[in-house]
Amino acid sequence: MPTVYDIPANILIRRLAQELRSRKDIQPPDWAPFVKTGVHKDRAPDDPDWWYVRCASVLRKIYMKGPIGTERLRIDYGGRIGRGDKPPRERRGGGAIVRLSLQQLERAGFIRKRGNKGREMTDIGRSYMDKLSGSLKGELTKAIPGLEKY
């Protein structure tokens, strides 16, 4: 059975974002259209569905990296900030975005807290991701002949 590891990240995240959009547990907050995703960004995201894409990406990261916490996710979603003539520095991504997406995914039943180690996938979340990966693998093998051996 195919898993998340067998599907390209961009395809999986886009499809998972579409699936999460239909769930009532995952909704963007009121401030989502106006907020930057971190201090290293100049503007808010252009994509109106960026909240669902971020939640899908967080869910994939939790699946791949095991128990992971807010600070590690902030590092993953951070980037370089330009400082003029001085060398650029790394900055973390927005913490409120990561925390609220984790809380919504936890309410949906996909993840749970694991003590002070962070969040991990539940059996429901792992099953959901594996079923989605299986259907995507079937669609990809139909679209790209010769892919079934991988």
Side-chain angles (χ1 to χ4, degrees), residues 8-135:
N10 59 348
I11 296 171
L12 179 71
I13 288 171
R14 283 292 169 184
R15 176 61 66 87
L16 186 55
Q18 290 174 355
E19 298 282 329
L20 292 178
R21 189 173 176 76
S22 64
R23 299 185 66 90
K24 64 179 178 181
D25 298 331
I26 307 216
Q27 294 294 323
D30 297 335
W31 44 262
F34 314 110
V35 72
K36 298 189 316 180
T37 57
V39 297
H40 62 286
K41 295 290 187 179
D42 292 331
R43 292 180 290 172
D46 293 333
D47 185 10
D49 291 337
W50 73 270
W51 183 261
Y52 302 105
V53 174
R54 178 61 60 95
C55 287
S57 175
V58 166
L59 191 59
R60 181 182 175 273
K61 279 188 184 292
I62 292 172
Y63 186 99
M64 302 282 275
K65 295 185 178 183
I68 187 169
T70 304
E71 288 302 312
R72 180 57 60 100
L73 288 170
R74 285 185 68 196
I75 292 169
D76 287 347
Y77 292 113
R80 289 181 158 212
I81 185 169
R83 303 184 318 142
D85 291 335
K86 297 179 278 188
R89 288 195 176 169
E90 293 289 324
R91 293 289 184 237
R92 293 181 177 155
I97 296 169
V98 172
R99 281 190 300 275
L100 191 58
S101 62
L102 287 173
Q103 290 167 2
Q104 287 182 357
L105 290 170
E106 195 171 351
R107 246 182 271 128
F110 294 134
I111 61 175
R112 67 172 172 249
K113 287 185 183 177
R114 183 176 175 194
N116 59 356
K117 295 193 184 314
R119 279 32 178 233
E120 65 181 358
M121 295 293 289
T122 61
D123 294 336
I124 295 168
R126 190 168 297 280
S127 170
Y128 183 77
M129 296 286 283
D130 288 341
K131 286 178 186 175
L132 183 66
S133 299
S135 67

